[in-house]
Amino acid sequence: MSVSGEETPLKIVASRELCRGHGQCELFAPDYFQIDDDALVVVVKDEVAPEDVIAVQDAVTHCPEAALRLEQARDGARQ
Amino acid sequence: MISVQETDNLTRVGPGTPTGEYLRQFWLPFLGSDAVEPGGEPFPVRLLGEDLIAFRREDGLVGLVDVACAHRRAPLLYARNEGCGLRCVYHGWQYDIDGQCTDMPAEPANSRFKKHIKIKAYPCRERNGVVWTYMGKGEPPELPELEWNLLPPERVHISFRVQETDWLSSYEGEIDSAHAPILHGRLDKTSKRSRTTMARSGRPIFDVMQQPFGVSVGARREVPERDELYWRVNQFVMPFYTLVPPKSEEWAELTGHAWIPIDDTHTLAVGFTYLPDRPLKERMVDVFTHGYQGRETGHPSDQAQDLNVPHNVPYWKYVTKFMRASNYLFDHSLQQTTYFSGLPGLWVQDVAAQSGALAVPRTFENLTSSDAGIVVVRQVLRDCVEAYAASGELPASAVDPSLSRVRAVAALLKRDETWVEALGEFMFKPVGDPLGYTVP
Ligand code: SF4
Ligand code: FES
Ligand SMILES: [Fe+2]
């Protein structure tokens, strides 16, 4: 939680160790996820814009390998 | 010496066992080419305790892959054999011959998941009607130069059958030539067999020798009214081949088996009979294929297959009516009229006799002088298994395919001749050469 009472943006953490290229993330949030030539996830941008939170959360829930998670960005990370 | 425990260990062939790992470093002749048709029904196989599925792709290549789909483990026995390989009928995942998943029709189009999915697959090669596979580590060596699989088809008869015995008892039955005139004895006096030199000659004295290819098991016998000695040299070729010399001038075929361990209690007997330099007699092939007067001969006949075996039993095409459950169709009354054993035919007699080894603990066993070949081969095998487990070292014949080119020999020798010298040249003939001697 931020001291100002305002939510910090959510940050995507992806594990290429766990990922197995299902592409679910890419389906739900193509602006944030891509699958590369090794058939593994690449996070295109990791800070989630407020209007995309639902889509990215869907991506995270649908990942069959539990390779994605969302973290509250720390205050310092904002600037 | 080899202990009971060490010998029993030689019969354990599953993944991770010392013997199983050793045997995996050799090519296995595991299937007849005609068992799998292009695009045809996948065939369940079990090798060294591993359940697998063999199939022939539409383009003719044979594959050998894991038994279960990597998705939700549906049996690939029910797979569709189409395109590049097997397609699981549950959700349609498809596997190439190397096990790579190539299609997931129920996945979103953007999914790259299939790239991460590869099922177990063993490389296969095909040569003269036999499919071989390699389950070992690293790059496979060349196929062994075994003469029976290098000759044109009209010179060889090959058969496949499953027997309910461990592989050790199976091959041991064929290097032990002492049993032949007894177990396979016939009471009907017209029988060809009863007139062979072997049947007329006396008790065997064994002389066993370790060789670069394995072990030679020589046995000499006195022959009535002859001054020479009758020598028969059976060969044990690493890791599971046995070669038997010809029986008579008229029946000068070489025979033998590959004894492929299916698991600890089942063996695939790959039988072969061949003449190196000419076609087999039609009558002989006929007898092998159809049996002789209703009985089995050296090979399973076309009447032998048990047609009631469900298609999910490993090697169902090779399961015969002569199994433990049918008591090998033993008929005690035939001991008075037809067979010494009362067991209906040559290979059935071998199997029934070998079947005791699984039923009774090995501590019960009492080996004797005629088991010299068995004792030596067990020790050689144990040493090879131990060496491989300790340092990964394999015997020369595992890496040099030409060492497997050897023949079994039968000959009459003068009393002062040593068989190793006198018969050596006949043992190592080039593939396809005549025997070079008259079979006694
Ligand atoms: S959904 Fe998960 S496993 Fe699939 S590509 Fe995205 S991160 Fe990888
Ligand atoms: S279990 Fe084979 S595709 Fe689903
Ligand atoms: Fe026999």
Side-chain angles (χ1 to χ4, degrees):
Chain A
M1 294 298 287
S2 72
V3 266
S4 66
E6 194 186 302
E7 295 271 316
T8 59
L10 291 169
K11 199 173 173 308
I12 299 168
V13 182
S15 160
R16 281 172 61 95
E17 304 287 297
L18 294 175
C19 170
R20 299 183 78 198
H22 297 272
Q24 290 289 307
C25 48
E26 195 184 46
L27 272 192
F28 283 92
D31 293 343
Y32 290 84
F33 303 101
Q34 266 173 26
I35 315 298
D36 69 6
D37 287 346
D38 294 330
L40 294 173
V41 68
V42 174
V43 179
V44 186
K45 54 178 177 185
D46 63 354
E47 272 193 19
V48 187
E51 63 273 23
D52 294 333
V53 166
I54 293 189
V56 171
Q57 253 157 3
D58 272 345
V60 171
T61 348
H62 282 85
C63 171
E65 308 292 344
L68 304 176
R69 85 198 139 75
L70 286 176
E71 272 180 5
Q72 202 81 61
R74 270 176 284 114
D75 277 342
R78 278 191 87 176
Q79 271 77 40
Chain B
M1 268 301 290
I2 174 161
S3 70
V4 167
Q5 186 57 52
E6 286 174 322
T7 309
D8 272 344
N9 287 346
L10 291 175
T11 68
R12 313 269 189 267
V13 295
T17 60
T19 305
E21 291 307 314
Y22 172 71
L23 293 174
R24 276 167 173 76
Q25 312 312 313
F26 294 81
W27 281 98
L28 313 171
F30 77 101
L31 192 70
S33 289
D34 55 2
V36 282
E37 285 175 8
E41 183 178 351
F43 186 59
V45 160
R46 183 180 293 159
L47 285 170
L48 301 168
E50 290 182 41
D51 280 312
L52 301 162
I53 298 289
F55 65 102
R56 188 186 293 282
R57 222 157 63 159
E58 284 166 344
D59 68 359
L61 285 180
V62 177
L64 183 64
V65 296
D66 208 341
V67 75
C69 177
H71 179 214
R72 298 234 311 277
R73 292 170 292 167
L76 288 179
L77 181 65
Y78 309 129
R80 299 175 66 86
N81 181 359
E82 58 189 28
C84 71
L86 292 186
R87 189 185 289 284
C88 177
V89 289
Y90 204 171
H91 313 89
W93 289 18
Q94 187 166 31
Y95 301 97
D96 206 331
I97 222 155
D98 62 357
Q100 181 61 50
C101 183
T102 56
D103 193 20
M104 295 180 171
E107 283 289 283
N110 75 317
S111 169
R112 246 56 58 79
F113 183 44
K114 64 185 181 209
K115 209 171 160 183
H116 296 282
I117 298 293
K118 194 168 185 181
I119 55 172
K120 179 163 74 181
Y122 294 117
C124 295
R125 283 203 206 144
E126 211 165 352
R127 186 171 74 181
N128 293 326
V130 177
V131 189
W132 298 71
T133 193
Y134 180 74
M135 298 167 71
K137 294 201 180 87
E139 271 303 296
E142 290 304 305
L143 291 179
E145 289 175 23
L146 291 149
E147 188 168 41
W148 60 273
N149 190 227
L150 286 166
L151 297 170
E154 65 279 6
R155 298 187 201 173
V156 196
H157 183 84
I158 301 178
S159 62
F160 295 79
R161 57 178 173 77
V162 171
Q163 56 177 72
E164 295 157 302
T165 58
D166 65 88
W167 76 288
L168 204 72
S169 317
S170 311
Y171 83 69
E172 286 180 346
E174 200 155 79
I175 49 176
D176 143 36
S177 71
H179 82 270
I182 302 168
L183 174 66
H184 304 311
R186 289 272 297 277
L187 307 168
D188 31 357
K189 290 290 180 290
T190 56
S191 143
K192 284 245 160 23
R193 176 165 289 278
S194 56
R195 296 205 303 266
T196 61
T197 309
M198 164 110 101
R200 289 186 296 116
S201 58
R203 298 161 192 262
I205 309 278
F206 283 82
D207 186 11
V208 184
M209 205 175 112
Q210 194 168 348
Q211 301 268 21
F213 60 80
V215 176
S216 288
V217 183
R220 65 169 198 270
R221 295 167 163 90
E222 300 280 344
V223 191
E225 296 134 38
R226 301 243 7 184
D227 195 37
E228 298 107 316
L229 292 170
Y230 176 51
W231 276 94
R232 290 179 69 78
V233 183
N234 293 40
Q235 314 288 14
F236 173 83
V237 180
M238 272 294 170
F240 40 50
Y241 302 97
T242 48
L243 306 177
V244 181
K247 290 183 189 67
S248 65
E249 193 180 353
E250 192 192 348
W251 303 104
E253 297 76 19
L254 295 152
T255 60
H257 284 85
W259 305 99
I260 311 300
I262 293 176
D263 55 28
D264 295 356
T265 56
H266 294 79
T267 301
L268 179 69
V270 184
F272 44 85
T273 299
Y274 64 100
L275 285 169
D277 57 334
R278 63 209 130 106
L280 295 174
K281 289 180 199 155
E282 239 170 82
R283 198 161 76 76
M284 162 157 276
V285 177
D286 193 67
V287 163
F288 286 157
T289 315
H290 306 300
Y292 180 66
Q293 297 180 347
R295 38 179 108 123
E296 293 298 299
T297 62
H299 291 270
S301 75
D302 52 6
Q303 305 300 305
Q305 187 188 341
D306 182 349
L307 298 172
N308 296 317
V309 180
H311 290 197
N312 56 359
V313 171
Y315 282 117
W316 60 266
K317 286 187 186 185
Y318 300 152
V319 176
T320 72
K321 295 170 189 156
F322 304 91
M323 303 297 266
R324 193 183 303 271
S326 65
N327 199 23
Y328 303 98
L329 303 186
F330 170 69
D331 181 347
H332 188 262
S333 69
L334 294 181
Q335 290 189 350
Q336 303 308 315
T337 53
T338 320
Y339 310 108
F340 179 78
S341 66
L343 289 154
L346 188 98
W347 69 263
V348 183
Q349 293 156 3
D350 283 321
V351 178
Q354 292 158 11
S355 72
L358 279 178
V360 181
R362 193 173 298 283
T363 43
F364 218 81
E365 185 176 78
N366 291 284
L367 298 184
T368 175
S369 57
S370 73
D371 299 314
I374 289 171
V375 174
V376 173
V377 174
R378 283 183 188 178
Q379 293 178 25
V380 170
L381 270 174
R382 175 204 54 196
D383 294 348
C384 288
V385 167
E386 281 180 359
Y388 181 69
S391 65
E393 181 201 330
L394 285 167
S397 59
V399 275
D400 181 351
S402 71
L403 287 178
S404 302
R405 185 167 50 75
V406 57
R407 287 181 186 165
V409 192
L412 289 169
L413 294 185
K414 297 200 193 74
R415 283 178 188 269
D416 58 0
E417 281 181 299
T418 54
W419 66 270
V420 184
E421 281 162 26
L423 301 180
E425 73 166 293
F426 307 124
M427 278 169 46
F428 302 108
K429 289 268 178 194
V431 170
D433 262 28
L435 294 182
Y437 61 93
T438 306
V439 181

